[in-house]
Amino acid sequence: MNDILSELGWRNLVAQHTPELPEELAKGHVTLYCGFDPTAPSLHMGNLAQIVTMSRFQQLGHTPIALVGGATGLIGDPSGKNAERTLNTTDTVLEWVEGIRKQLEPFFDFSGSNACIMSNNYIWTHDMDVLTYLRDIGKHFSVNRMLDKESVSARLNGAGISYTEFSYQILQSLDFLELYRRHGCTLQIGGSDQWGNITAGTDLVRRVESAQVNGLTTPLVTKADGTKFGKTESGTVWLDPELTSPYAFYQFWINADDRDVQTLLRTFTFRTQEELAALELATAEKPQAREAQRALAHDVTTLVHGDHATAQAKAAAAALFGQGELRELDATTLDSAMREAPNAEVSLNGNAPTVSELLVACELVASNGAGRRAIAEGGVSVNNVKVTDENATVSADDFLHGKWLVLRRGKRTFGGISLIK
RNA sequence: GGCAGAUUGCCCGAGCGGCCAAUGGGAGCGGACUGUAAAUCCGUCGCGAAAGCUACAGUGGUUCGAACCCACUAUCUGCCA
């Protein structure tokens, strides 16, 4: 069995771990868990980093438990938040739980001796009565120590914290205890912001079960330009293809900064140290080819959305950004490319819509005035031909293959208009 | 609970009766330059083709005229209980 710690080590994926962890791993097999709270209808990049980390453990023979936080999602983790968050309704959270469970499944192997286990902390918390909670669990927590946790102390000095969120670390600790009892789980992993919650859990298991369990955190992914990783102008990049299209997802990785691409490859792909060294060399020698970004985008999009969607996203990118003449693209390629871009339908019915109206229709600009402005600034093209007249209109002849009109705003924002008869 | 102050566009922040759709900065967007990059420079940045319309926490008022004055409401921040 390969050593998971050295694997994570060369990838710079270890922020902190409990001192006893190497000893535990030396025994061979561990069962580990990571929690995913339903704070949104879909998982996002931060979650993906943990999923991939768990996957690395599973590939080396360890047993992963993917825990969906049906209970903790109802409470709200104060970690990394500078203000109390609004509670989501129970119905909403339970709906998200189901969606997130389905999203997690494809990443893991559910067969073999180290098959992945899916769990949900709602199971052991929803009917626990308050006296049991206070006597059996709460008794093991020192408020003094809870106040010392970064996630709590930051809030005490700032916007304050409710009892609900203050209790979050207790619930997460209870999860570790339950998973230890039910599945012999002896390791919890998470982002470095979870360190406080994880150690609260190892403390609880030690007190209640007199057992040594461990924690490991991965560094938060940061970007060289200081902006938040996992966000674009249009918001969070989600794993759900309904929320972030595979095309947009692919583009997100393709656009990675040279300075960040190695870190991202180490964190999100399974490429070997040798392959990454080769890509690093490629970036240094021929940065404009962006080989590393292409490898990154290919691997991660395939991991999340599969081969087919990745091929489509690539074809779309090649079609839109390629040097080739758009009119020479075959109908099928164009069709799949345009479906991936923001698009809208229009029926001509004898009238000729203006280009700026069409820009608004596929949400490339916020208003007609902004569209006209964009044209005046020389930033708009139709079928890769620059539009110079603010009042330009289109006719049926402009639609490629009688169906699609390719709108471009700026260098890399595309939209499609499909003609309906 | 009492007193004082604050609330301006995506964010910060000027304006304190007409010259205000509102200075300046940031973010965003477009162009040049590029590699679907970074940095830099230039332009732009409520809606509307325009007339004009809607906006300066909310509601009402004073005034020929209010982001600016008054009253009340809401929220926030100080000081005193």
Side-chain angles (χ1 to χ4, degrees):
Chain A
M1 192 178 288
N2 282 318
D3 179 3
I4 183 74
L5 272 187
S6 59
E7 171 72 9
L8 296 177
W10 77 259
R11 288 180 187 275
N12 284 335
L13 288 178
V14 180
Q16 293 187 90
H17 65 74
T18 45
E20 298 80 3
L21 180 62
E23 193 183 320
E24 171 75 19
L25 288 169
K27 292 177 192 164
H29 169 270
V30 296
T31 297
L32 69 142
Y33 98 93
C34 180
F36 300 92
D37 274 6
T39 54
S42 169
L43 297 170
H44 51 79
M45 289 307 135
N47 302 130
L48 184 62
Q50 297 310 318
I51 291 171
V52 173
T53 305
M54 285 179 82
S55 196
R56 294 187 205 286
F57 272 92
Q58 187 170 31
Q59 285 180 7
L60 294 177
H62 303 287
T63 303
I65 301 173
L67 179 82
V68 181
T72 36
L74 287 165
I75 301 308
D77 186 355
S79 303
K81 300 276 184 248
N82 54 21
E84 190 82 6
R85 61 170 88 174
T86 316
L87 290 175
N88 294 306
T89 65
T90 308
D91 286 350
T92 304
V93 172
L94 293 182
E95 192 182 313
W96 290 349
V97 162
E98 199 39 38
I100 283 168
R101 194 181 58 76
K102 284 190 185 132
Q103 258 185 337
L104 285 167
E105 280 175 356
F107 292 101
F108 301 106
D109 187 351
F110 287 85
S111 63
S113 58
N114 64 329
C116 176
I117 299 166
M118 294 291 299
S119 194
N120 182 348
N121 57 22
Y122 193 69
I123 297 167
W124 52 83
T125 42
H126 83 281
D127 59 357
M128 175 179 273
D129 67 89
V130 68
L131 290 178
T132 305
Y133 168 76
L134 290 173
R135 289 180 64 94
D136 293 358
I137 308 300
K139 194 65 179 170
H140 298 289
F141 284 83
S142 148
V143 170
N144 307 47
R145 294 205 57 183
M146 291 172 73
L147 292 174
D148 283 342
K149 303 285 180 191
E150 163 64 27
S151 60
V152 174
S153 66
R155 291 274 291 276
L156 288 177
N157 299 326
I161 184 167
S162 69
Y163 182 72
T164 306
E165 288 196 10
F166 176 62
S167 312
Y168 185 91
Q169 53 179 292
I170 297 182
L171 286 198
Q172 186 164 332
S173 303
L174 175 62
D175 292 344
F176 206 164
L177 179 62
E178 284 293 331
L179 292 173
Y180 173 77
R181 286 172 171 166
R182 290 168 188 240
H183 303 292
C185 176
T186 54
L187 171 63
Q188 179 181 180
I189 68 167
S192 57
D193 59 331
Q194 289 298 310
W195 183 248
N197 289 332
I198 290 173
T199 52
T202 59
D203 287 349
L204 179 66
V205 176
R206 178 166 3 89
R207 293 214 175 88
V208 178
E209 297 289 336
S210 306
Q212 172 64 46
V213 292
N214 295 283
L216 179 142
T217 60
T218 59
L220 290 187
V221 182
T222 56
K223 295 208 303 182
D225 64 6
T227 57
K228 201 171 178 188
F229 172 74
K231 304 273 184 187
T232 67
E233 313 83 73
S234 43
T236 303
V237 177
W238 304 102
L239 301 194
D240 185 340
E242 297 294 321
L243 297 177
T244 299
S245 74
Y247 170 76
F249 189 86
Y250 184 83
Q251 288 297 314
F252 168 75
W253 297 103
I254 276 285
N255 286 321
D257 195 307
D258 289 356
R259 294 169 293 177
D260 297 323
V261 71
Q262 280 290 321
T263 303
L264 297 176
L265 282 164
R266 282 197 305 265
T267 307
F268 290 100
T269 75
F270 295 97
R271 301 222 172 201
T272 63
Q273 206 159 2
E274 291 72 34
E275 287 176 295
L276 294 196
L279 287 170
E280 188 164 23
L281 192 65
T283 299
E285 288 182 346
K286 275 185 71 181
Q288 66 275 23
R290 297 201 321 287
E291 261 187 63
Q293 279 90 339
R294 285 176 206 285
L296 175 68
H298 171 85
D299 285 14
V300 185
T301 310
T302 305
L303 177 69
V304 175
H305 295 300
D307 290 329
H308 182 67
T310 304
Q312 293 226 312
K314 279 183 171 178
L320 296 171
F321 291 106
Q323 304 303 328
E325 176 62 37
L326 271 176
R327 286 185 182 277
E328 287 166 12
L329 279 178
D330 65 86
T332 316
T333 307
L334 181 67
D335 203 55
S336 61
M338 295 322 291
R339 278 181 203 291
E340 287 289 342
N343 59 68
E345 296 179 334
V346 71
S347 60
L348 293 180
N349 286 336
N351 48 36
T354 65
V355 173
S356 60
E357 283 167 356
L358 295 175
L359 288 169
V360 176
C362 60
E363 296 177 342
L364 253 42
V365 296
S367 70
N368 206 359
R372 298 171 65 88
R373 197 183 304 130
I375 294 170
E377 288 173 336
V380 175
S381 66
V382 171
N383 296 337
N384 275 351
V385 178
K386 187 177 274 195
V387 179
T388 49
D389 178 6
E390 284 179 35
N391 298 308
T393 58
V394 299
S395 67
D397 295 340
D398 297 318
F399 286 77
L400 303 173
H401 298 287
K403 176 157 189 203
W404 286 105
L405 198 67
V406 181
L407 295 177
R408 194 179 83 202
R409 170 160 162 272
K411 274 172 295 196
R412 57 196 161 132
T413 313
F414 290 90
I417 300 292
S418 67
L419 179 64
I420 48 177
K421 308 274 174 5

